[in-house]
Amino acid sequence: MTHLIDALDSPRTIASTVSSRIEGFLDTKADEFAAISPDADDIGQALFEFTRGGKMVRPVLLWWGFQLAVGDDPDWERLKPGVAEAAGSLELLHAAALIHDDVIDHSDTRRGRLALHRQFEALHGRHRYQGDDESFGVSAAIVIGDICLALSEELFETSQSTLGITALTRELRATLRRDVMVGQYLDVLAEVIPLEDERLAERAWEVLSFKSAKYSVEQPLLLGAALGGADEEQLKEISRFGLPLGQAFQLRDDVLGVFGDPAATGKPAGDDIREGKRTVLIAESVKNLSRAQAHILAKRLGDPNLSDTEVSECMAMLTDAGGLEAVESSIRAKHEEALSIVREWATDGAGAQASRTRIGPAVQQQLTEFAETLSYRKS
Amino acid sequence: MTHLIDALDSPRTIASTVSSRIEGFLDTKADEFAAISPDADDIGQALFEFTRGGKMVRPVLLWWGFQLAVGDDPDWERLKPGVAEAAGSLELLHAAALIHDDVIDHSDTRRGRLALHRQFEALHGRHRYQGDDESFGVSAAIVIGDICLALSEELFETSQSTLGITALTRELRATLRRDVMVGQYLDVLAEVIPLEDERLAERAWEVLSFKSAKYSVEQPLLLGAALGGADEEQLKEISRFGLPLGQAFQLRDDVLGVFGDPAATGKPAGDDIREGKRTVLIAESVKNLSRAQAHILAKRLGDPNLSDTEVSECMAMLTDAGGLEAVESSIRAKHEEALSIVREWATDGAGAQASRTRIGPAVQQQLTEFAETLSYRKS
């Protein structure tokens, strides 16, 4: 049966519903922590603050995946709380990944505030604890990241009592979790491999796809759709849209990581240069650099003490070598590829048949606008 | 209905069955990692080696919890693979906790081999990677610990297709996971709190109970029993045995962490002193130390560069202050408390009725011997 979807809930509504659910869940958990020991109070508080202010990209996409699969289901109101829990679980997973990422990348800030390990380093000072404050911050962040990961599992499990669970959803959830973590390992590895390595570009695409494009866009959509009962064929159709959009999303992130406005990104300018990220942007630039230039870039990538001038010089290098333009062109191509699928879904063509979903003009507009935000966002 | 249990599988048989299942599972996962990128090969290999050679305390206890609950179930052979998966999942959770613990504690060795972060630090050198080898080792260990945690979830989920899942088992699994992680946070926190803090002993008992006694002994038994269909009353009965035994187990660990033979523990002598662990052993000793002695101990606890003589002096202090004897006496009391429950189960008394399980003489012997190993093990 082909069904027609007339409207998706707005990202704002979804974000607010999911946020409330996460907050309610964390409240309960914070009470449990405090019951173990008064000392555990800070965990709940930290997670509560950390999970606020995220962009909620993954929850929105899971939610939409579900709506695309179920169509105008009369049972929707009953299912909604379960969808909010499954969506919230992705946001907690993401928070856990960010907490550990910031430790790994030695990042000082996140979302315009102190990174979690820096927060606990500061707390060490405030409470006049003994020993090394930096080491305490890192240890606390490792453990709290683990707790956040466990809470993500728990909230997903909770959703099962409303949504049920199938082998397919279980598998997709496991794949999503695995891909982002293996992607993160590959990211760590890429940073220690010489810039002249022949697999540089290939590696950059592996990290981009697994650590981000699949995990942030394609898989939330797929998981949502599978929770809504989509079959393999529908899922394939959703991947045709989700993967290129996810790639455009992460390519934009790579551009913002170097050229982004600190006020908008919440991260220092050129942060990815100082962290030594081996992005597609870097790989595309290296191709066209002279040996001498490549040597300079290799030396500077990953040096946390670069001056602003040195960072600016690297930025100029990436622009002059055509890396920036190559990435912008990839973004345009991937973005267009994703939109062409949306257009198919809006007609009675092959795509709509394969996905057994036809979207109305309002939904086409919603998906187009959201894709625009992901591919061309300012922060 | 009261049922009689005549025999539990031997720890050796259980360990071997669970090991095989973990290895088979990790094989499949290693293939998936390698399919993402050839660079991800090292993850599977590392986990494969790391999960070997564990004592399998938690899997054995989960298995026995299940057997105690189901009794002589004719369906046992069909259920066994699911029990092996649930048990294996606990071993993977434990491996994940150890990987992160070793990063947090800056431990160089684990199970007589290099700790995982040190292994990846060495790999950095072997492959002539760039950048800081220590930082690479830590980053890799954080991510691989996360992966191991995710795999633990996945293997547990897999067991559900054989064993089914109830709200109770889900809750117990979540509690187990939460307690060990919050316990770990409390452990990190305890190390930075002044030794003269009035909650020193209370904190030490919180860490001992949540990070270890419950997680390592009581909860594996409870989870196994719940998977086997035990009700609240039966679970309470199991806790009466599991919690004191778990406390004896961890008190012994505290003693071994200071006084243990390095050849048997696989850790350097006095390791807990250099790490600055605030164990019950320390809290019990501090009570009776002079101000001057307490000052010396406070300065030495957590100093990784202590000489062997300085460590020996601390050991003498803990002995002379009566801390060691107080802990040994607690071990005897907790051990005896656990055994008294086993004796109840072996008779037609109140315990056997409450647990609706009566154990035969062979099972009584098995439980007694295992408890002996946990409370009085040499390593």
Side-chain angles (χ1 to χ4, degrees), chain A residues 32 36-37 39 100 106 120 129-130 135 143 146 149 170 178 181 185 189 192 199 203 206, chain B residues 32 37 39 100 104 106 120 129-130 135 143 146 149 157 178-179 181 185 189 192 199 203 206:
Chain A
E32 287 179 22
I36 293 178
S37 164
D39 293 339
H100 283 176
H106 308 285
F120 276 79
Y129 288 153
Q130 300 182 320
S135 172
V143 181
D146 288 344
L149 192 54
R170 200 143 58 203
R178 179 200 67 200
M181 291 174 176
Y185 175 81
L189 191 66
V192 298
R199 283 193 71 244
R203 279 206 180 85
E206 285 166 2
Chain B
E32 287 178 21
S37 164
D39 292 339
H100 283 175
I104 288 170
H106 308 285
F120 276 78
Y129 289 151
Q130 299 182 321
S135 174
V143 181
D146 289 345
L149 193 54
E157 286 158 16
R178 178 200 68 200
D179 285 358
M181 291 173 177
Y185 175 81
L189 191 66
V192 298
R199 284 192 71 244
R203 279 206 179 85
E206 284 166 5

Side-chain angles (χ1 to χ4, degrees), chain B residues 141-176:
Chain B
I142 292 176
V143 181
I144 293 175
D146 289 345
I147 292 175
C148 194
L149 193 54
L151 293 182
S152 159
E153 298 304 328
E154 196 175 333
L155 192 53
F156 188 75
E157 286 158 16
T158 308
S159 78
Q160 296 177 16
S161 46
T162 311
L163 303 180
I165 183 83
T166 64
L168 183 63
T169 51
R170 200 143 58 203
E171 194 189 312
L172 283 169
R173 163 87 184 166
T175 303
L176 179 150

